[in-house]
């Protein structure tokens, strides 16, 4: 019985040390969340621009030519860019919350360093605010361009499927 209690106690001690090490590592990551949010902004904007421009180009050429390989490649590219854009938009508020949690983890409320306390608290609010601002901005842009991109994806998909269906039935 005493051996079992000793094992459980040492396991809890190991777990506590591991959690402490993880918390210390996360505290050091906190100041990098805001720059990460700002670094993802142009990536997200570029993916949206590629999706919209490519979609409009394809929609204009739908009736002009029937290059199925080009349309199929375009379908895959537009779908990839737009899916990546949607995924990144949902990441912004999560990064903001991560920055908040990391900044609050590094608060030392027992000490008397009020300047450091203010800086960490400001970092917490800053990352949350920027995550929300960029998320809202891209959600609005998405609502403006969503129909263009999804319409192009749907039309290309129908065209490519009908082409391969006709091609498959003519071989029989």
């Amino acid at each position: 019985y005493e051996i079992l209690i000793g094992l459980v106690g040492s396991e809890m001690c190991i777990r506590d040390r591991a959690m402490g090490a993880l918390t210390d590592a996360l505290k050091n990551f906190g100041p990098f969340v805001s720059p990460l949010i700002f670094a993802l902004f142009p990536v997200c904007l570029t993916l949206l621009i590629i999706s919209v421009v490519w979609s409009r180009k394809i929609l204009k050429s739908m009736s002009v030519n029937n290059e199925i390989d080009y349309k199929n490649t375009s379908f895959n590219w537009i779908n990839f860019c737009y899916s990546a854009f949607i995924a990144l938009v949902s990441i912004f508020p999560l990064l903001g919350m991560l920055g908040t949690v990391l900044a609050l983890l590094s608060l030392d409320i027992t000490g008397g360093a009020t300047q450091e306390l203010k800086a960490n608290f400001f970092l917490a609010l800053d990352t949350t605010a920027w995550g929300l601002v960029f998320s809202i901005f891209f959600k609005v842009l998405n609502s403006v361009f969503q129909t263009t991109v999804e319409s192009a994806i749907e039309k290309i998909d129908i065209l490519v499927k009908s082409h391969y269906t006709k091609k498959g039935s003519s071989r029989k």
Side-chain angles (χ1 to χ4, degrees), residues 54-68 70-76 78-79 146-164 166:
W54 203 280
S55 296
R56 287 185 174 169
K57 181 180 176 184
I58 291 299
L59 287 173
K60 285 181 183 177
S61 73
M62 284 299 262
S63 59
V64 177
N65 60 19
N66 275 337
E67 299 173 17
I68 294 301
Y70 172 72
K71 300 255 189 296
N72 197 18
T73 302
S74 300
F75 169 78
N76 292 334
I78 293 169
N79 206 11
Q146 182 177 11
T147 55
T148 302
V149 175
E150 288 182 355
S151 173
I153 290 172
E154 184 179 327
K155 287 180 180 179
I156 295 168
D157 189 38
I158 291 169
L159 181 71
V160 169
K161 284 180 181 175
S162 69
H163 173 76
Y164 286 116
K166 288 177 189 175

Side-chain angles (χ1 to χ4, degrees), residues 22-83:
L22 179 63
T23 302
D24 290 340
L26 288 175
K27 286 179 187 178
N28 295 329
F29 182 69
F32 298 107
V33 175
S34 256
L36 180 61
I37 290 172
F38 279 96
L40 285 176
F41 178 80
V43 172
C44 206
L45 191 59
T46 303
L47 288 169
L48 178 64
I49 290 170
I50 289 170
S51 300
V52 170
V53 169
W54 203 280
S55 296
R56 287 185 174 169
K57 181 180 176 184
I58 291 299
L59 287 173
K60 285 181 183 177
S61 73
M62 284 299 262
S63 59
V64 177
N65 60 19
N66 275 337
E67 299 173 17
I68 294 301
D69 291 335
Y70 172 72
K71 300 255 189 296
N72 197 18
T73 302
S74 300
F75 169 78
N76 292 334
W77 184 241
I78 293 169
N79 206 11
F80 169 77
C81 288
Y82 191 65
S83 296

Side-chain angles (χ1 to χ4, degrees), residues 67-130:
E67 299 173 17
I68 294 301
D69 291 335
Y70 172 72
K71 300 255 189 296
N72 197 18
T73 302
S74 300
F75 169 78
N76 292 334
W77 184 241
I78 293 169
N79 206 11
F80 169 77
C81 288
Y82 191 65
S83 296
F85 166 75
I86 295 298
L88 283 177
V89 167
S90 66
I91 287 175
F92 281 110
L94 297 174
L95 284 174
M97 286 188 287
L98 176 65
T100 300
V101 169
L102 294 177
L104 293 176
L105 275 175
S106 60
L107 287 178
D108 183 16
I109 53 176
T110 60
T114 57
Q115 208 54 21
E116 185 180 335
L117 186 70
K118 284 181 187 176
N120 285 341
F121 193 71
F122 178 73
L123 177 65
L125 295 177
D126 185 51
T127 56
T128 302
W130 284 117

